Amino acid sequence: MHRLGQTRSIYRPTHLLQTPDTFVRAALPGMSGAAAIVHAAPAMGASFTEYTAEFEPGGVLGPASGQRFIYVLEGALDVCRAGKTQHLQPGGFAHLPQNASHSVSASEKSRAAVIEKRYTPLAGVEPGPALFGSESNIPGQPLMGDEDLRVYPLIPDDAGYDYAVNVMIFQPGAALARVEIHVMEHGLLMLQGGGVYRLAETWSPVTAGDFIWMGAYCPQWFGALGKTPAKYLIYKDWNRHPLAAAH
């Protein structure tokens, strides 16, 4: 049914809420049997790119524009690098360093979140190596002592990695302890459940499938609502001095 121009999606200079009813699909260069929903990109003020890749069986992802992080949402992906193939199922993830030759293909109809960021070098530190893993093998950590709000870090807190990706799970009624305002920017994909997100001066209902971009210093807060846990995948730039981005 026609929605007569109505949507929960909003875009401001400091933030974006993009809901599935506004998604537009298009193939990126090098894609075959696949399409991308581009959520965040430099065109809207982000310093990284994040998109959902949707694959038909046998579909292939194109080349990366920098470092690449992949998180499988549905189906299964084969990531081939240095003659070895990693088979990733839902919750499986990979970090591929910048300029690392690799291929990504779907063995069945699949969906994946893909984050790409140009690496910011740090003097005396080698870039982190490729990583492969599964969310199910990552131990959760309570955030600020709250057992109802747990963080699952998918990227090691190591200076060789200039970004972080976490899965966060909120039990019904759990909420961030404070409104956060900080220099890092975020890309956030709601995986299940829902709640209310404060973005600057806007309070928005959010649910599984929504994407949120938060620029640096955007006031932000989330509280989970409903009878099931809320879960999201969240990116942030990390481990670099704020002046590094200016060079």
Side-chain angles (χ1 to χ4, degrees):
M1 186 176 74
H2 199 286
R3 298 177 61 86
L4 301 177
Q6 296 190 22
T7 180
R8 288 184 295 112
S9 291
I10 54 172
Y11 173 60
R12 301 287 185 272
T14 59
H15 60 274
L16 164 75
L17 168 60
Q18 187 183 36
T19 60
D21 56 298
T22 62
F23 288 175
V24 175
R25 294 161 173 82
L28 296 177
M31 275 187 164
S32 174
I37 304 161
V38 179
H39 303 299
M44 47 82 77
S47 64
F48 67 102
T49 296
E50 181 164 353
Y51 55 94
T52 297
E54 298 180 335
F55 301 84
E56 295 299 321
V60 174
L61 204 57
S65 60
Q67 303 172 94
R68 171 176 276 168
F69 179 86
I70 302 168
Y71 178 91
V72 179
L73 300 167
E74 296 177 8
L77 296 181
D78 291 322
V79 181
C80 183
R81 179 178 181 272
K84 296 182 179 180
T85 299
Q86 300 283 340
H87 187 69
L88 303 181
Q89 295 183 319
F93 62 89
H95 160 81
L96 289 312
Q98 189 162 307
N99 301 321
S101 179
H102 66 277
S103 64
V104 181
S105 59
S107 53
E108 58 187 87
K109 191 177 182 69
S110 304
R111 295 172 57 245
V114 183
I115 300 167
E116 297 179 4
K117 175 191 183 298
R118 290 190 173 88
Y119 182 71
T120 302
L122 184 61
V125 175
E126 289 294 317
L131 291 173
F132 299 92
S134 174
E135 173 197 330
S136 62
N137 296 328
I138 303 295
Q141 306 167 3
L143 183 64
M144 300 179 68
D146 188 348
E147 292 290 345
D148 288 333
L149 200 178
R150 301 186 72 83
V151 182
Y152 298 79
L154 307 187
I155 299 291
D157 185 8
D158 180 282
Y161 301 98
D162 64 350
Y163 72 98
V165 180
N166 299 324
V167 168
M168 298 186 67
I169 298 180
F170 296 69
Q171 295 304 311
L176 294 174
R178 61 187 176 187
V179 175
E180 297 182 0
I181 301 176
H182 51 63
V183 69
M184 292 85 73
E185 66 175 330
H186 287 309
L188 183 157
L189 183 63
M190 291 293 301
L191 301 177
Q192 71 177 46
V196 174
Y197 228 106
R198 175 181 174 173
L199 301 166
E201 301 308 314
T202 301
W203 300 72
S204 298
V206 296
T207 191
D210 292 350
F211 176 83
I212 298 172
W213 169 73
M214 291 166 269
Y217 298 105
C218 175
Q220 55 198 256
W221 175 89
F222 176 71
L225 298 175
K227 296 183 179 181
T228 60
K231 177 180 179 181
Y232 56 67
L233 181 79
I234 185 166
Y235 156 94
K236 66 179 175 182
D237 47 321
W238 192 240
N239 279 332
R240 294 297 182 267
H241 192 285
L243 284 176
H247 296 284

